[in-house]
Amino acid sequence: MRLNRIYQNQPLLINSIVALDKSASIHLSKVLRIAIDSRIELFNGNGHRYQAEIVSIERNQVSARVLSEHSVNNESPLNIHLFQAVSRGDKMDLTVQKSVELGVKEFTPIISERCGVKLDQKRWQKKLEHWQKVIISACEQSGRDVVPVINPVLNWDEAIKKINNCFFLDPHTNITLADIKKPNLQQKIQLWIGPEGGFSDSEVAEIESSGTTPVSLGPRILRTETAALATVSALNTLWGDFIQTNTKKS
């Protein structure tokens, strides 16, 4: 039986008793109605997982004893850094959540010319905190023990200075991922995805001037949230998790 996985931003030492944070405590006690002596799995982002046993349940405080530590390497061999133009509503949440499941290791939200989301600094900070929670929840669900990084939101002029070893989607090019030479998998791979409406002509020209090659995912125009997930999946099929899994089974 799979154990409930809980992220805790604190040291986890064998035989220690840890007081779980309020959110986890309420979820375990009020939602799951977990009982004393029940087993759970904890992780704190250090790449290890810890089996623990519930030892006390109070109103809004659950405590657990750490029983054992295990290391399971289920990280993607691809070090993908997703530069995603911020999309409206819950589309960005979907992109972040599913990208974590697919193995993306770093996120940088960017504000491009056609980005429809305009917020002040305080509200951007709240967005970052929200996306961090989405990332952690996706790690709990998918079994990842390393928590991907979410960087501060960058405007276009700031973001373009970061470009390096990059793929970016352009529906008007005839170049596909199959035409691209296999990258150095020891290096970070940047994936740039535009907003609804795509990158502007001037932005495309600026990206191309950096020496980056545009790629297409086919003849149809994909939504921004579809484009990110389809590209990460394609990269995994070419060089990452998917092809390795198939090789092991053959």
Side-chain angles (χ1 to χ4, degrees):
M1 182 180 69
R2 181 177 176 180
L3 299 177
N4 291 304
R5 282 172 48 84
I6 304 293
Y7 173 78
Q8 290 295 287
N9 185 22
Q10 59 177 304
L12 299 171
L13 303 176
I14 294 176
N15 293 326
S16 66
I17 294 178
V18 295
L20 305 185
D21 63 38
K22 184 176 180 180
S23 176
S25 294
I26 291 175
H27 179 69
L28 288 170
S29 62
K30 306 297 185 184
V31 179
L32 299 180
R33 297 190 179 280
I34 202 162
I36 289 178
D37 296 333
S38 297
R39 298 289 179 93
I40 60 173
E41 188 172 87
L42 302 176
F43 70 104
N44 60 8
N46 68 353
H48 297 261
R49 57 185 60 179
Y50 302 82
Q51 191 170 110
E53 182 179 68
I54 302 298
V55 295
S56 70
I57 303 173
E58 299 180 2
R59 291 186 61 186
N60 291 321
Q61 182 65 71
V62 173
S63 296
R65 176 181 285 108
V66 179
L67 302 176
S68 60
E69 176 183 358
H70 306 279
S71 178
V72 178
N73 183 13
N74 60 7
E75 288 296 298
S76 171
L78 301 180
N79 190 354
I80 298 176
H81 181 176
L82 177 59
F83 282 71
Q84 173 69 51
V86 179
S87 48
R88 295 174 177 169
D90 60 0
K91 293 179 181 178
M92 190 71 176
D93 288 7
L94 176 67
T95 299
V96 171
Q97 179 191 64
K98 301 307 178 185
S99 295
V100 171
E101 294 177 25
L102 289 168
V104 170
K105 296 182 179 178
E106 187 171 355
F107 296 89
T108 297
I110 59 176
I111 306 300
S112 61
E113 185 177 328
R114 294 171 179 166
C115 179
V117 182
K118 308 294 182 184
L119 303 175
D120 58 32
Q121 186 173 359
K122 185 176 181 180
R123 292 176 69 193
W124 277 127
Q125 183 58 40
K126 288 184 177 180
K127 278 286 188 184
L128 284 171
E129 292 169 0
H130 171 71
W131 291 328
Q132 180 68 48
K133 292 178 181 178
V134 172
I135 288 172
I136 289 171
S137 177
C139 286
E140 290 176 335
Q141 180 275 322
S142 64
R144 290 185 67 176
D145 299 317
V146 177
V147 178
V149 174
I150 179 78
N151 295 314
V153 180
L154 298 181
N155 62 41
W156 181 258
D157 290 339
E158 294 169 326
I160 200 67
K161 295 176 183 177
K162 307 285 187 181
I163 200 165
N164 183 47
N165 196 29
C166 165
F167 294 104
F168 85 98
L169 292 193
D170 182 356
H172 305 297
T173 185
N174 293 321
I175 301 171
T176 68
L177 285 170
D179 300 320
I180 302 296
K181 180 181 177 181
K182 182 178 180 179
N184 183 348
L185 300 186
Q186 303 303 313
Q187 296 181 353
K188 188 175 295 184
I189 300 171
Q190 291 185 3
L191 173 60
W192 285 54
I193 304 293
E196 295 98 334
F199 291 123
S200 69
D201 291 343
S202 61
E203 288 169 341
V204 170
E206 197 167 2
I207 296 175
E208 289 182 327
S209 70
S210 71
T212 298
T213 303
V215 293
S216 169
L217 289 183
R220 294 171 297 282
I221 304 296
L222 303 182
R223 291 181 180 273
T224 180
E225 66 273 23
T226 308
L229 305 180
T231 309
V232 173
S233 297
L235 292 174
N236 269 318
T237 300
L238 288 171
W239 308 307
D241 284 333
F242 297 174
I243 189 67
Q244 287 195 357
T245 299
N246 292 337
T247 300
K248 291 177 182 178
K249 290 181 178 180
S250 61

